[in-house]
Amino acid sequence: MSATASRPVRPEGPGGPERAGGVRFARPLLVAFLLAAAVDLAGLLAGLDTVHLVAKPLLMPLLAAYAAVRGGPRLLIAALLFGWGGDVFLLADNDLAFLLGMSSFAVGHVCYLTLFGRGRARAQVATGIAYAFVLVVFLVLIWPDLPAELRAPLTGYSLLLTAMAWRAGVLGRYAAAGGALFLLSDALIATGIAEWPRLPVPDFWVMSTYIAAQFLLALGVLTAGARGTTVRTGAYRERGIST
């Protein structure tokens, strides 16, 4: 971690003219991400598993590339790529793949928490209490219906995810909404594991909330950097957020 203080944002962004030249790729990458998301969700609605298998692994690399050319911090890129790892593992329908996928997502949440935890703003205590209350109630209700071997890892993961969702609020409304949607998406997965009644086309709702969550988290970080919000880590100091 660098001790160098944050400096004003330069028009060309970190990396000077070279970075400015890379920004022209941001819009095509964003369009590609949104197109892949639309194709994936349409495939889920249509029941086309092959479309989902092809489109889902494209989502997070495209979003990570978009964040990178926008000058995003390495911790954001890492969080998105660990999300990609989780996406790929969860394509396999077995307990080992599920645990590996959950572990990859957990590392991504640690990246987010590290990034958010270095912000100057303090997360609201009332929001934290509300998140904790919802988590406890949800775990108490779902616990009897969870497979015994998944109860401990799911509880630990849920605590980490809830902490990330709460702390995301320090970077503003986009990141706060992203954290909340991530929590909702994974809650929908948990209800499926517990074999609770689910909405029609449940995978569509899981993926739609997840895609929105990751996009809003990335947008929250990038927006905070553009307006000069300080998150004290080194390499992103030019825009006020770093790795």
Side-chain angles (χ1 to χ4, degrees):
M1 182 178 71
S2 172
T4 306
S6 299
R7 297 196 292 270
V9 179
R10 298 190 306 224
E12 67 270 18
E18 182 180 353
R19 172 65 73 184
V23 169
R24 70 178 181 272
F25 297 109
R27 181 170 294 180
L29 285 168
L30 179 58
V31 170
F33 165 74
L34 294 174
L35 180 61
V39 169
D40 185 44
L41 296 177
L44 290 171
L45 284 173
L48 301 174
D49 292 340
T50 302
V51 172
H52 180 58
L53 289 172
V54 172
K56 185 182 181 183
L58 298 176
L59 294 169
M60 291 306 107
L62 287 170
L63 185 56
Y66 167 72
V69 300
R70 284 281 309 272
R74 286 192 295 270
L75 279 172
L76 172 60
I77 310 305
L80 294 172
L81 292 179
F82 277 113
W84 170 74
D87 290 343
V88 172
F89 280 122
L90 291 184
L91 287 172
D93 187 16
N94 60 71
D95 288 347
L96 177 59
F98 176 78
L99 289 172
L100 290 172
M102 186 168 61
S103 299
S104 189
F105 279 121
V107 177
H109 296 326
V110 171
C111 293
Y112 278 131
L113 268 173
T114 304
L115 187 59
F116 302 152
R118 290 170 178 172
R120 282 181 174 173
R122 292 185 178 181
Q124 292 186 357
V125 174
T127 304
I129 293 173
Y131 268 123
F133 176 77
V134 170
L135 175 63
V136 170
V137 170
F138 182 73
L139 287 175
V140 168
L141 291 175
I142 204 170
W143 185 268
D145 298 321
L146 290 174
E149 66 275 12
L150 293 180
R151 288 173 178 170
L154 275 173
T155 299
Y157 175 82
S158 298
L159 288 168
L160 181 61
L161 172 58
T162 303
M164 184 280 290
W166 168 55
R167 187 62 189 171
V170 302
L171 291 190
R173 62 183 183 275
Y174 293 131
L181 283 173
F182 214 133
L183 193 62
L184 174 60
S185 180
D186 281 10
L188 293 173
I189 294 175
T191 60
I193 295 171
E195 298 184 353
W196 282 13
R198 306 181 76 187
L199 294 169
V201 198
D203 288 344
F204 169 82
W205 298 108
V206 169
M207 283 304 299
S208 60
T209 51
Y210 167 69
I211 292 168
Q214 291 280 38
F215 176 70
L216 287 170
L217 285 167
L219 185 61
V221 174
L222 295 172
T223 302
R227 68 172 183 259
T229 301
T230 300
V231 179
R232 292 188 178 276
T233 50
Y236 201 43
R237 60 184 178 272
E238 299 288 351
R239 298 173 74 104
I241 296 181
S242 67
T243 57

